[in-house]
Amino acid sequence: MRPSDQLAQFVAEALGAGRSRQEIADALKGAGWAPNDVSEALNAWAEVDFTPPGPRPRPYVSAREAFFYGLMFAALAMTAWHLVSLSFNLIDRWVPDIERSYAYNYSLRQMRWSIASLIVFAPLFMVLNARVVRETRNDPSKRRSGVRKWFGYITLFLATIALLVDLIWVIYLLLDGELNLRVSLKAMTVATVAGVVFLYFRRETMSHEDAI
Amino acid sequence: MKTRSDLLPQILLGGLVVAAVIAGIIVVGGPKAGRMERRDTIRLEDLRKLAEFVRCVASTENKQLPEVLQPQAACTGQARLADPYTDVPYTYRKTSDTTFQVCAAFERPDAVIYTYFASGTFDAETGCATVTYYR
């Protein structure tokens, strides 16, 4: 039996025997459990006047959701990447770098590729996201999906990294004396796209109760 | 209140994507622009081969640059003397004893890249390459 199972069993039995939550928490802390272990073990059981106590719903993992959230994650990643890439090329076009004027034709090809990717992936993401929002509204238990949490946090992680690297980039260029209009616009683009992605997934990860 | 905060990122992302795609299509142009670029790439290659052809012709004629460009049995190579799409002959001009120009009509000069030209310079705006002939 794993230690966490032992803990769960102990809490269930203690609650079933009519001990108060405070008593159980004190006993467990005395046994050396960390406060968050204790509160997690206690939160697994509902606080109702009923013995034995009813279990709270737990996070779950489903292959069907792995497919949906994986696809949604990929679609968002492609959308964000090509949105930034296309914006960079447009900024290079509108605010040309007099020191580097070549690679024009190449960037045209790159822009065509980005446009094609956005036409496919942006609507796909929108459709999948709308579907997820609808399903969650109809069935709030979907909020406990482990896959959903993981993809949400991975996205949040990547968006945060993008924002931090963007900040480092700006500070570096400032120190290097290269912080001009073109670079500032690019930095703002990255910050905007990462910020929107951040907004998207912040609410996904807001309920910490069931986070795993 | 809740629905609005749910919709905000959606509207932002959708707006950004639509704006970027529209701006992108305006800049890169449609399929027609793509075909123009591809034809221009062929024209630039033709000019390079044509310059090679001129050098070859000069070497068979006592190292004198020709006044007018004509097909030469000894130097046929793969050089085209006329634009394969419009059939308009490429322009050849002897500008001095050691320099000459070869020109073509480019359809999208601002999109021409890789403008490197062996022992010469290429200007996409005029569509002309000015080449030095080293005897």
mmCIF file of all heavy atoms in Angstrom, chain A residues 76 79 83 86 90 93-94 103-106 108-109 111-112 115 118 122 125-126 129 192 196 199-200 203, chain B residues 2 6 8-10 12-14 16-17 20-21 23-25 27-28 30 33-34 37-38 108 110-111 113:
data_model
loop_
_atom_site.group_PDB
_atom_site.id
_atom_site.type_symbol
_atom_site.label_atom_id
_atom_site.label_comp_id
_atom_site.label_asym_id
_atom_site.label_seq_id
_atom_site.Cartn_x
_atom_site.Cartn_y
_atom_site.Cartn_z
ATOM 1 N N LEU A 76 -3.371 25.695 -31.207
ATOM 2 C CA LEU A 76 -3.041 26.987 -30.592
ATOM 3 C C LEU A 76 -1.559 27.296 -30.772
ATOM 4 O O LEU A 76 -1.188 28.433 -31.092
ATOM 5 C CB LEU A 76 -3.405 26.968 -29.103
ATOM 6 C CG LEU A 76 -3.071 28.258 -28.367
ATOM 7 C CD1 LEU A 76 -3.866 29.416 -28.937
ATOM 8 C CD2 LEU A 76 -3.327 28.137 -26.882
ATOM 9 N N THR A 79 -1.003 28.343 -34.324
ATOM 10 C CA THR A 79 -1.590 29.665 -34.541
ATOM 11 C C THR A 79 -0.691 30.750 -33.963
ATOM 12 O O THR A 79 -0.372 31.734 -34.631
ATOM 13 C CB THR A 79 -2.990 29.738 -33.898
ATOM 14 O OG1 THR A 79 -3.804 28.694 -34.433
ATOM 15 C CG2 THR A 79 -3.646 31.064 -34.163
ATOM 16 N N LEU A 83 1.317 33.348 -36.218
ATOM 17 C CA LEU A 83 0.865 34.730 -36.041
ATOM 18 C C LEU A 83 2.074 35.624 -35.771
ATOM 19 O O LEU A 83 2.219 36.704 -36.363
ATOM 20 C CB LEU A 83 -0.139 34.798 -34.878
ATOM 21 C CG LEU A 83 -0.829 36.136 -34.641
ATOM 22 C CD1 LEU A 83 -1.536 36.592 -35.899
ATOM 23 C CD2 LEU A 83 -1.815 36.018 -33.505
ATOM 24 N N LEU A 86 4.333 35.743 -39.028
ATOM 25 C CA LEU A 86 3.749 36.607 -40.068
ATOM 26 C C LEU A 86 3.873 38.073 -39.668
ATOM 27 O O LEU A 86 4.225 38.931 -40.488
ATOM 28 C CB LEU A 86 2.284 36.209 -40.287
ATOM 29 C CG LEU A 86 1.498 36.972 -41.348
ATOM 30 C CD1 LEU A 86 2.173 36.861 -42.698
ATOM 31 C CD2 LEU A 86 0.075 36.446 -41.451
ATOM 32 N N LEU A 90 5.771 41.137 -41.578
ATOM 33 C CA LEU A 90 5.068 42.377 -41.942
ATOM 34 C C LEU A 90 5.801 43.590 -41.371
ATOM 35 O O LEU A 90 5.969 44.606 -42.046
ATOM 36 C CB LEU A 90 3.630 42.337 -41.419
ATOM 37 C CG LEU A 90 2.661 41.443 -42.185
ATOM 38 C CD1 LEU A 90 1.350 41.303 -41.429
ATOM 39 C CD2 LEU A 90 2.408 41.993 -43.577
ATOM 40 N N ARG A 93 8.735 44.396 -43.306
ATOM 41 C CA ARG A 93 8.355 45.032 -44.556
ATOM 42 C C ARG A 93 8.045 46.506 -44.355
ATOM 43 O O ARG A 93 8.473 47.370 -45.110
ATOM 44 C CB ARG A 93 7.129 44.309 -45.127
ATOM 45 C CG ARG A 93 6.686 44.750 -46.477
ATOM 46 C CD ARG A 93 7.810 44.540 -47.487
ATOM 47 N NE ARG A 93 8.350 43.208 -47.375
ATOM 48 C CZ ARG A 93 7.824 42.156 -47.962
ATOM 49 N NH1 ARG A 93 6.775 42.292 -48.710
ATOM 50 N NH2 ARG A 93 8.363 40.972 -47.821
ATOM 51 N N TRP A 94 7.318 46.821 -43.296
ATOM 52 C CA TRP A 94 6.865 48.196 -43.080
ATOM 53 C C TRP A 94 7.945 49.067 -42.467
ATOM 54 O O TRP A 94 7.984 50.275 -42.676
ATOM 55 C CB TRP A 94 5.601 48.209 -42.202
ATOM 56 C CG TRP A 94 4.423 47.647 -42.914
ATOM 57 C CD1 TRP A 94 4.157 47.771 -44.247
ATOM 58 C CD2 TRP A 94 3.342 46.885 -42.362
ATOM 59 N NE1 TRP A 94 2.986 47.115 -44.550
ATOM 60 C CE2 TRP A 94 2.468 46.570 -43.423
ATOM 61 C CE3 TRP A 94 3.031 46.450 -41.076
ATOM 62 C CZ2 TRP A 94 1.297 45.837 -43.239
ATOM 63 C CZ3 TRP A 94 1.873 45.717 -40.902
ATOM 64 C CH2 TRP A 94 1.021 45.414 -41.963
ATOM 65 N N ALA A 103 16.695 38.933 -48.802
ATOM 66 C CA ALA A 103 15.752 37.939 -48.258
ATOM 67 C C ALA A 103 14.298 38.380 -48.354
ATOM 68 O O ALA A 103 13.449 37.967 -47.593
ATOM 69 C CB ALA A 103 16.088 37.594 -46.810
ATOM 70 N N TYR A 104 14.010 39.237 -49.309
ATOM 71 C CA TYR A 104 12.648 39.725 -49.471
ATOM 72 C C TYR A 104 11.740 38.631 -50.023
ATOM 73 O O TYR A 104 10.685 38.343 -49.481
ATOM 74 C CB TYR A 104 12.708 40.915 -50.411
ATOM 75 C CG TYR A 104 11.414 41.631 -50.652
ATOM 76 C CD1 TYR A 104 11.120 42.797 -49.977
ATOM 77 C CD2 TYR A 104 10.498 41.159 -51.574
ATOM 78 C CE1 TYR A 104 9.949 43.458 -50.208
ATOM 79 C CE2 TYR A 104 9.323 41.814 -51.808
ATOM 80 C CZ TYR A 104 9.044 42.960 -51.122
ATOM 81 O OH TYR A 104 7.871 43.611 -51.347
ATOM 82 N N ASN A 105 12.237 38.018 -51.104
ATOM 83 C CA ASN A 105 11.451 36.979 -51.761
ATOM 84 C C ASN A 105 11.239 35.793 -50.832
ATOM 85 O O ASN A 105 10.158 35.221 -50.748
ATOM 86 C CB ASN A 105 12.206 36.533 -53.007
ATOM 87 C CG ASN A 105 11.273 35.866 -54.000
ATOM 88 O OD1 ASN A 105 10.243 35.326 -53.620
ATOM 89 N ND2 ASN A 105 11.637 35.897 -55.254
ATOM 90 N N TYR A 106 12.305 35.454 -50.103
ATOM 91 C CA TYR A 106 12.208 34.352 -49.159
ATOM 92 C C TYR A 106 11.123 34.633 -48.125
ATOM 93 O O TYR A 106 10.319 33.775 -47.798
ATOM 94 C CB TYR A 106 13.558 34.153 -48.482
ATOM 95 C CG TYR A 106 13.523 33.153 -47.374
ATOM 96 C CD1 TYR A 106 13.235 31.823 -47.640
ATOM 97 C CD2 TYR A 106 13.741 33.532 -46.057
ATOM 98 C CE1 TYR A 106 13.187 30.902 -46.631
ATOM 99 C CE2 TYR A 106 13.698 32.614 -45.042
ATOM 100 C CZ TYR A 106 13.415 31.301 -45.335
ATOM 101 O OH TYR A 106 13.351 30.394 -44.319
ATOM 102 N N LEU A 108 8.572 36.435 -48.530
ATOM 103 C CA LEU A 108 7.251 36.315 -49.166
ATOM 104 C C LEU A 108 6.772 34.864 -49.104
ATOM 105 O O LEU A 108 5.620 34.587 -48.808
ATOM 106 C CB LEU A 108 7.306 36.770 -50.628
ATOM 107 C CG LEU A 108 7.347 38.271 -50.893
ATOM 108 C CD1 LEU A 108 7.343 38.531 -52.384
ATOM 109 C CD2 LEU A 108 6.155 38.966 -50.259
ATOM 110 N N ARG A 109 7.702 33.935 -49.405
ATOM 111 C CA ARG A 109 7.346 32.516 -49.350
ATOM 112 C C ARG A 109 6.960 32.130 -47.925
ATOM 113 O O ARG A 109 5.984 31.409 -47.705
ATOM 114 C CB ARG A 109 8.540 31.660 -49.789
ATOM 115 C CG ARG A 109 8.956 31.911 -51.211
ATOM 116 C CD ARG A 109 8.619 30.721 -52.085
ATOM 117 N NE ARG A 109 8.649 31.101 -53.475
ATOM 118 C CZ ARG A 109 9.681 30.871 -54.281
ATOM 119 N NH1 ARG A 109 10.752 30.272 -53.819
ATOM 120 N NH2 ARG A 109 9.641 31.234 -55.532
ATOM 121 N N MET A 111 5.804 34.046 -45.639
ATOM 122 C CA MET A 111 4.512 34.642 -45.296
ATOM 123 C C MET A 111 3.375 33.829 -45.881
ATOM 124 O O MET A 111 2.335 33.647 -45.243
ATOM 125 C CB MET A 111 4.455 36.082 -45.806
ATOM 126 C CG MET A 111 5.288 37.032 -44.976
ATOM 127 S SD MET A 111 5.521 38.605 -45.783
ATOM 128 C CE MET A 111 4.049 39.450 -45.283
ATOM 129 N N ARG A 112 3.564 33.321 -47.099
ATOM 130 C CA ARG A 112 2.504 32.488 -47.692
ATOM 131 C C ARG A 112 2.270 31.253 -46.834
ATOM 132 O O ARG A 112 1.135 30.837 -46.616
ATOM 133 C CB ARG A 112 2.907 32.071 -49.103
ATOM 134 C CG ARG A 112 2.889 33.216 -50.065
ATOM 135 C CD ARG A 112 2.920 32.763 -51.512
ATOM 136 N NE ARG A 112 2.836 33.928 -52.370
ATOM 137 C CZ ARG A 112 3.869 34.409 -53.060
ATOM 138 N NH1 ARG A 112 5.018 33.799 -53.031
ATOM 139 N NH2 ARG A 112 3.732 35.492 -53.790
ATOM 140 N N ILE A 115 0.396 32.272 -43.697
ATOM 141 C CA ILE A 115 -1.016 32.559 -43.992
ATOM 142 C C ILE A 115 -1.785 31.248 -44.126
ATOM 143 O O ILE A 115 -2.869 31.081 -43.544
ATOM 144 C CB ILE A 115 -1.138 33.404 -45.283
ATOM 145 C CG1 ILE A 115 -0.595 34.816 -45.031
ATOM 146 C CG2 ILE A 115 -2.579 33.475 -45.755
ATOM 147 C CD1 ILE A 115 -0.451 35.644 -46.286
ATOM 148 N N LEU A 118 -2.269 29.662 -40.738
ATOM 149 C CA LEU A 118 -3.264 30.365 -39.921
ATOM 150 C C LEU A 118 -4.671 30.059 -40.406
ATOM 151 O O LEU A 118 -5.586 29.888 -39.598
ATOM 152 C CB LEU A 118 -3.018 31.874 -39.969
ATOM 153 C CG LEU A 118 -1.855 32.379 -39.111
ATOM 154 C CD1 LEU A 118 -1.658 33.870 -39.316
ATOM 155 C CD2 LEU A 118 -2.106 32.090 -37.642
ATOM 156 N N ALA A 122 -6.103 28.412 -37.047
ATOM 157 C CA ALA A 122 -6.835 29.353 -36.194
ATOM 158 C C ALA A 122 -8.314 28.966 -36.081
ATOM 159 O O ALA A 122 -8.839 28.868 -34.962
ATOM 160 C CB ALA A 122 -6.646 30.783 -36.695
ATOM 161 N N PHE A 125 -8.667 25.834 -33.931
ATOM 162 C CA PHE A 125 -8.569 26.115 -32.495
ATOM 163 C C PHE A 125 -9.857 26.727 -31.970
ATOM 164 O O PHE A 125 -10.361 26.344 -30.912
ATOM 165 C CB PHE A 125 -7.388 27.037 -32.211
ATOM 166 C CG PHE A 125 -7.341 27.482 -30.788
ATOM 167 C CD1 PHE A 125 -7.017 26.589 -29.788
ATOM 168 C CD2 PHE A 125 -7.672 28.777 -30.439
ATOM 169 C CE1 PHE A 125 -7.006 26.970 -28.463
ATOM 170 C CE2 PHE A 125 -7.654 29.174 -29.119
ATOM 171 C CZ PHE A 125 -7.318 28.274 -28.128
ATOM 172 N N MET A 126 -10.394 27.691 -32.726
ATOM 173 C CA MET A 126 -11.627 28.359 -32.296
ATOM 174 C C MET A 126 -12.763 27.347 -32.123
ATOM 175 O O MET A 126 -13.496 27.385 -31.134
ATOM 176 C CB MET A 126 -12.053 29.403 -33.338
ATOM 177 C CG MET A 126 -11.091 30.552 -33.488
ATOM 178 S SD MET A 126 -11.134 31.620 -32.051
ATOM 179 C CE MET A 126 -10.045 32.917 -32.549
ATOM 180 N N ASN A 129 -12.106 25.037 -29.152
ATOM 181 C CA ASN A 129 -12.248 25.763 -27.898
ATOM 182 C C ASN A 129 -13.726 26.024 -27.580
ATOM 183 O O ASN A 129 -14.165 25.850 -26.440
ATOM 184 C CB ASN A 129 -11.472 27.072 -27.967
ATOM 185 C CG ASN A 129 -11.440 27.767 -26.634
ATOM 186 O OD1 ASN A 129 -10.881 27.246 -25.683
ATOM 187 N ND2 ASN A 129 -12.064 28.929 -26.559
ATOM 188 N N THR A 192 1.911 40.550 -26.902
ATOM 189 C CA THR A 192 0.461 40.509 -27.122
ATOM 190 C C THR A 192 -0.025 39.075 -27.325
ATOM 191 O O THR A 192 -0.988 38.634 -26.684
ATOM 192 C CB THR A 192 0.090 41.353 -28.361
ATOM 193 O OG1 THR A 192 0.684 42.630 -28.218
ATOM 194 C CG2 THR A 192 -1.405 41.478 -28.502
ATOM 195 N N VAL A 196 -2.431 37.011 -24.826
ATOM 196 C CA VAL A 196 -3.755 36.479 -25.174
ATOM 197 C C VAL A 196 -3.832 34.995 -24.807
ATOM 198 O O VAL A 196 -4.831 34.530 -24.236
ATOM 199 C CB VAL A 196 -4.044 36.690 -26.678
ATOM 200 C CG1 VAL A 196 -5.282 35.923 -27.095
ATOM 201 C CG2 VAL A 196 -4.237 38.161 -26.973
ATOM 202 N N LEU A 199 -4.299 34.697 -21.173
ATOM 203 C CA LEU A 199 -5.691 34.979 -20.795
ATOM 204 C C LEU A 199 -6.568 33.760 -21.019
ATOM 205 O O LEU A 199 -7.413 33.418 -20.200
ATOM 206 C CB LEU A 199 -6.234 36.115 -21.655
ATOM 207 C CG LEU A 199 -6.115 37.543 -21.149
ATOM 208 C CD1 LEU A 199 -6.775 38.486 -22.127
ATOM 209 C CD2 LEU A 199 -6.782 37.662 -19.790
ATOM 210 N N TYR A 200 -6.344 33.103 -22.168
ATOM 211 C CA TYR A 200 -7.139 31.943 -22.528
ATOM 212 C C TYR A 200 -7.097 30.885 -21.438
ATOM 213 O O TYR A 200 -8.101 30.321 -21.058
ATOM 214 C CB TYR A 200 -6.574 31.313 -23.806
ATOM 215 C CG TYR A 200 -7.504 31.393 -24.974
ATOM 216 C CD1 TYR A 200 -7.187 32.172 -26.070
ATOM 217 C CD2 TYR A 200 -8.686 30.683 -24.973
ATOM 218 C CE1 TYR A 200 -8.037 32.258 -27.145
ATOM 219 C CE2 TYR A 200 -9.537 30.771 -26.048
ATOM 220 C CZ TYR A 200 -9.207 31.565 -27.132
ATOM 221 O OH TYR A 200 -10.046 31.649 -28.180
ATOM 222 N N ARG A 203 -8.120 31.047 -16.936
ATOM 223 C CA ARG A 203 -9.373 30.593 -16.313
ATOM 224 C C ARG A 203 -9.469 29.072 -16.296
ATOM 225 O O ARG A 203 -10.153 28.494 -15.465
ATOM 226 C CB ARG A 203 -10.557 31.242 -17.001
ATOM 227 C CG ARG A 203 -10.929 30.678 -18.333
ATOM 228 C CD ARG A 203 -11.892 31.585 -19.052
ATOM 229 N NE ARG A 203 -11.594 31.638 -20.458
ATOM 230 C CZ ARG A 203 -11.982 30.709 -21.323
ATOM 231 N NH1 ARG A 203 -12.667 29.681 -20.920
ATOM 232 N NH2 ARG A 203 -11.685 30.813 -22.595
ATOM 233 N N LYS B 2 -19.380 36.980 -16.792
ATOM 234 C CA LYS B 2 -18.524 35.813 -17.007
ATOM 235 C C LYS B 2 -18.348 35.529 -18.493
ATOM 236 O O LYS B 2 -17.254 35.251 -18.958
ATOM 237 C CB LYS B 2 -19.140 34.595 -16.312
ATOM 238 C CG LYS B 2 -18.277 33.368 -16.437
ATOM 239 C CD LYS B 2 -18.498 32.421 -15.288
ATOM 240 C CE LYS B 2 -17.364 31.429 -15.137
ATOM 241 N NZ LYS B 2 -17.101 30.630 -16.289
ATOM 242 N N ASP B 6 -14.992 35.347 -20.846
ATOM 243 C CA ASP B 6 -14.721 34.145 -21.632
ATOM 244 C C ASP B 6 -14.453 34.491 -23.088
ATOM 245 O O ASP B 6 -13.633 33.869 -23.744
ATOM 246 C CB ASP B 6 -15.928 33.200 -21.566
ATOM 247 C CG ASP B 6 -15.900 32.333 -20.311
ATOM 248 O OD1 ASP B 6 -14.955 32.507 -19.531
ATOM 249 O OD2 ASP B 6 -16.818 31.533 -20.131
ATOM 250 N N LEU B 8 -13.406 37.464 -24.341
ATOM 251 C CA LEU B 8 -12.369 38.461 -24.622
ATOM 252 C C LEU B 8 -11.154 37.883 -25.340
ATOM 253 O O LEU B 8 -10.792 38.364 -26.416
ATOM 254 C CB LEU B 8 -11.964 39.176 -23.328
ATOM 255 C CG LEU B 8 -10.897 40.245 -23.519
ATOM 256 C CD1 LEU B 8 -11.444 41.427 -24.304
ATOM 257 C CD2 LEU B 8 -10.354 40.716 -22.182
ATOM 258 N N PRO B 9 -10.512 36.811 -24.798
ATOM 259 C CA PRO B 9 -9.342 36.291 -25.511
ATOM 260 C C PRO B 9 -9.684 35.773 -26.895
ATOM 261 O O PRO B 9 -8.900 35.915 -27.826
ATOM 262 C CB PRO B 9 -8.841 35.156 -24.615
ATOM 263 C CG PRO B 9 -9.805 34.988 -23.533
ATOM 264 C CD PRO B 9 -10.795 36.086 -23.564
ATOM 265 N N GLN B 10 -10.895 35.216 -27.025
ATOM 266 C CA GLN B 10 -11.330 34.706 -28.326
ATOM 267 C C GLN B 10 -11.397 35.823 -29.365
ATOM 268 O O GLN B 10 -10.913 35.680 -30.483
ATOM 269 C CB GLN B 10 -12.718 34.094 -28.173
ATOM 270 C CG GLN B 10 -12.941 32.910 -29.035
ATOM 271 C CD GLN B 10 -13.613 31.805 -28.252
ATOM 272 O OE1 GLN B 10 -13.570 31.796 -27.024
ATOM 273 N NE2 GLN B 10 -14.241 30.887 -28.939
ATOM 274 N N LEU B 12 -9.893 38.749 -29.160
ATOM 275 C CA LEU B 12 -8.544 39.279 -29.382
ATOM 276 C C LEU B 12 -7.772 38.406 -30.363
ATOM 277 O O LEU B 12 -7.208 38.900 -31.341
ATOM 278 C CB LEU B 12 -7.788 39.354 -28.056
ATOM 279 C CG LEU B 12 -8.081 40.548 -27.164
ATOM 280 C CD1 LEU B 12 -7.338 40.412 -25.844
ATOM 281 C CD2 LEU B 12 -7.678 41.837 -27.864
ATOM 282 N N LEU B 13 -7.753 37.098 -30.092
ATOM 283 C CA LEU B 13 -6.982 36.190 -30.943
ATOM 284 C C LEU B 13 -7.548 36.179 -32.367
ATOM 285 O O LEU B 13 -6.810 36.303 -33.340
ATOM 286 C CB LEU B 13 -6.986 34.776 -30.357
ATOM 287 C CG LEU B 13 -6.020 33.815 -31.038
ATOM 288 C CD1 LEU B 13 -4.583 34.207 -30.740
ATOM 289 C CD2 LEU B 13 -6.255 32.386 -30.591
ATOM 290 N N GLY B 14 -8.886 36.070 -32.457
ATOM 291 C CA GLY B 14 -9.518 36.078 -33.777
ATOM 292 C C GLY B 14 -9.200 37.354 -34.538
ATOM 293 O O GLY B 14 -8.843 37.312 -35.719
ATOM 294 N N LEU B 16 -6.624 39.404 -34.137
ATOM 295 C CA LEU B 16 -5.206 39.442 -34.516
ATOM 296 C C LEU B 16 -4.964 38.576 -35.751
ATOM 297 O O LEU B 16 -4.277 38.999 -36.690
ATOM 298 C CB LEU B 16 -4.331 38.932 -33.368
ATOM 299 C CG LEU B 16 -4.081 39.893 -32.208
ATOM 300 C CD1 LEU B 16 -3.329 39.188 -31.090
ATOM 301 C CD2 LEU B 16 -3.292 41.107 -32.680
ATOM 302 N N VAL B 17 -5.546 37.348 -35.725
ATOM 303 C CA VAL B 17 -5.314 36.425 -36.849
ATOM 304 C C VAL B 17 -5.890 37.013 -38.133
ATOM 305 O O VAL B 17 -5.212 37.055 -39.171
ATOM 306 C CB VAL B 17 -5.926 35.042 -36.543
ATOM 307 C CG1 VAL B 17 -5.964 34.195 -37.794
ATOM 308 C CG2 VAL B 17 -5.131 34.334 -35.466
ATOM 309 N N ALA B 20 -3.773 39.938 -39.340
ATOM 310 C CA ALA B 20 -2.473 39.524 -39.871
ATOM 311 C C ALA B 20 -2.632 38.847 -41.223
ATOM 312 O O ALA B 20 -1.846 39.084 -42.144
ATOM 313 C CB ALA B 20 -1.773 38.588 -38.881
ATOM 314 N N VAL B 21 -3.668 37.997 -41.352
ATOM 315 C CA VAL B 21 -3.851 37.274 -42.623
ATOM 316 C C VAL B 21 -4.200 38.261 -43.741
ATOM 317 O O VAL B 21 -3.642 38.192 -44.846
ATOM 318 C CB VAL B 21 -4.935 36.183 -42.474
ATOM 319 C CG1 VAL B 21 -5.377 35.676 -43.835
ATOM 320 C CG2 VAL B 21 -4.407 35.025 -41.647
ATOM 321 N N ALA B 23 -3.523 41.548 -43.888
ATOM 322 C CA ALA B 23 -2.331 42.345 -44.193
ATOM 323 C C ALA B 23 -1.325 41.503 -44.974
ATOM 324 O O ALA B 23 -0.710 41.983 -45.934
ATOM 325 C CB ALA B 23 -1.707 42.873 -42.909
ATOM 326 N N GLY B 24 -1.174 40.242 -44.572
ATOM 327 C CA GLY B 24 -0.228 39.362 -45.251
ATOM 328 C C GLY B 24 -0.603 39.149 -46.702
ATOM 329 O O GLY B 24 0.246 39.238 -47.593
ATOM 330 N N ILE B 25 -1.895 38.917 -46.956
ATOM 331 C CA ILE B 25 -2.323 38.678 -48.342
ATOM 332 C C ILE B 25 -2.135 39.948 -49.172
ATOM 333 O O ILE B 25 -1.701 39.887 -50.328
ATOM 334 C CB ILE B 25 -3.787 38.184 -48.373
ATOM 335 C CG1 ILE B 25 -3.846 36.729 -47.879
ATOM 336 C CG2 ILE B 25 -4.350 38.254 -49.786
ATOM 337 C CD1 ILE B 25 -5.233 36.173 -47.711
ATOM 338 N N VAL B 27 0.185 42.147 -48.753
ATOM 339 C CA VAL B 27 1.615 42.318 -49.027
ATOM 340 C C VAL B 27 2.120 41.277 -50.033
ATOM 341 O O VAL B 27 2.799 41.622 -50.992
ATOM 342 C CB VAL B 27 2.429 42.261 -47.716
ATOM 343 C CG1 VAL B 27 3.909 42.110 -48.008
ATOM 344 C CG2 VAL B 27 2.194 43.524 -46.903
ATOM 345 N N VAL B 28 1.809 40.010 -49.811
ATOM 346 C CA VAL B 28 2.393 38.992 -50.696
ATOM 347 C C VAL B 28 1.637 38.877 -52.016
ATOM 348 O O VAL B 28 2.198 38.424 -53.005
ATOM 349 C CB VAL B 28 2.465 37.586 -50.041
ATOM 350 C CG1 VAL B 28 3.330 37.599 -48.830
ATOM 351 C CG2 VAL B 28 1.095 37.041 -49.743
ATOM 352 N N GLY B 30 -1.767 37.681 -54.448
ATOM 353 C CA GLY B 30 -2.434 36.395 -54.667
ATOM 354 C C GLY B 30 -1.591 35.454 -55.506
ATOM 355 O O GLY B 30 -0.388 35.632 -55.638
ATOM 356 N N ALA B 33 0.639 37.013 -58.227
ATOM 357 C CA ALA B 33 1.925 37.568 -57.790
ATOM 358 C C ALA B 33 2.965 36.459 -57.655
ATOM 359 O O ALA B 33 4.127 36.633 -58.023
ATOM 360 C CB ALA B 33 1.742 38.295 -56.466
ATOM 361 N N GLY B 34 2.515 35.293 -57.155
ATOM 362 C CA GLY B 34 3.430 34.172 -57.003
ATOM 363 C C GLY B 34 3.971 33.714 -58.348
ATOM 364 O O GLY B 34 5.158 33.426 -58.493
ATOM 365 N N GLU B 37 6.589 36.123 -59.590
ATOM 366 C CA GLU B 37 7.890 35.912 -58.949
ATOM 367 C C GLU B 37 8.625 34.749 -59.585
ATOM 368 O O GLU B 37 9.828 34.821 -59.834
ATOM 369 C CB GLU B 37 7.699 35.619 -57.462
ATOM 370 C CG GLU B 37 7.419 36.849 -56.633
ATOM 371 C CD GLU B 37 6.787 36.479 -55.312
ATOM 372 O OE1 GLU B 37 7.237 35.490 -54.715
ATOM 373 O OE2 GLU B 37 5.840 37.157 -54.902
ATOM 374 N N ARG B 38 7.891 33.672 -59.844
ATOM 375 C CA ARG B 38 8.545 32.494 -60.409
ATOM 376 C C ARG B 38 9.075 32.805 -61.810
ATOM 377 O O ARG B 38 10.171 32.397 -62.168
ATOM 378 C CB ARG B 38 7.568 31.312 -60.420
ATOM 379 C CG ARG B 38 8.263 30.010 -60.195
ATOM 380 C CD ARG B 38 7.463 28.905 -59.503
ATOM 381 N NE ARG B 38 6.110 29.174 -59.134
ATOM 382 C CZ ARG B 38 5.728 29.519 -57.914
ATOM 383 N NH1 ARG B 38 6.610 29.654 -56.962
ATOM 384 N NH2 ARG B 38 4.470 29.729 -57.641
ATOM 385 N N ARG B 108 7.943 41.769 -61.164
ATOM 386 C CA ARG B 108 7.862 42.150 -59.746
ATOM 387 C C ARG B 108 9.269 42.415 -59.235
ATOM 388 O O ARG B 108 9.803 41.643 -58.436
ATOM 389 C CB ARG B 108 7.227 41.003 -58.951
ATOM 390 C CG ARG B 108 6.005 41.462 -58.200
ATOM 391 C CD ARG B 108 5.588 40.485 -57.133
ATOM 392 N NE ARG B 108 5.024 41.213 -55.994
ATOM 393 C CZ ARG B 108 4.637 40.645 -54.882
ATOM 394 N NH1 ARG B 108 4.781 39.360 -54.710
ATOM 395 N NH2 ARG B 108 4.143 41.375 -53.905
ATOM 396 N N ASP B 110 10.588 44.350 -57.139
ATOM 397 C CA ASP B 110 10.852 44.505 -55.694
ATOM 398 C C ASP B 110 10.947 43.167 -54.982
ATOM 399 O O ASP B 110 11.435 43.099 -53.855
ATOM 400 C CB ASP B 110 9.790 45.399 -55.046
ATOM 401 C CG ASP B 110 8.391 44.826 -55.232
ATOM 402 O OD1 ASP B 110 8.194 44.078 -56.214
ATOM 403 O OD2 ASP B 110 7.514 45.122 -54.412
ATOM 404 N N ALA B 111 10.492 42.099 -55.628
ATOM 405 C CA ALA B 111 10.528 40.796 -54.963
ATOM 406 C C ALA B 111 11.701 39.934 -55.428
ATOM 407 O O ALA B 111 11.828 38.803 -54.997
ATOM 408 C CB ALA B 111 9.218 40.055 -55.199
ATOM 409 N N ILE B 113 15.231 38.445 -55.404
ATOM 410 C CA ILE B 113 16.357 38.361 -54.472
ATOM 411 C C ILE B 113 17.477 37.576 -55.128
ATOM 412 O O ILE B 113 17.401 37.230 -56.292
ATOM 413 C CB ILE B 113 15.969 37.709 -53.132
ATOM 414 C CG1 ILE B 113 15.223 36.411 -53.387
ATOM 415 C CG2 ILE B 113 15.197 38.652 -52.251
ATOM 416 C CD1 ILE B 113 15.368 35.442 -52.259
#
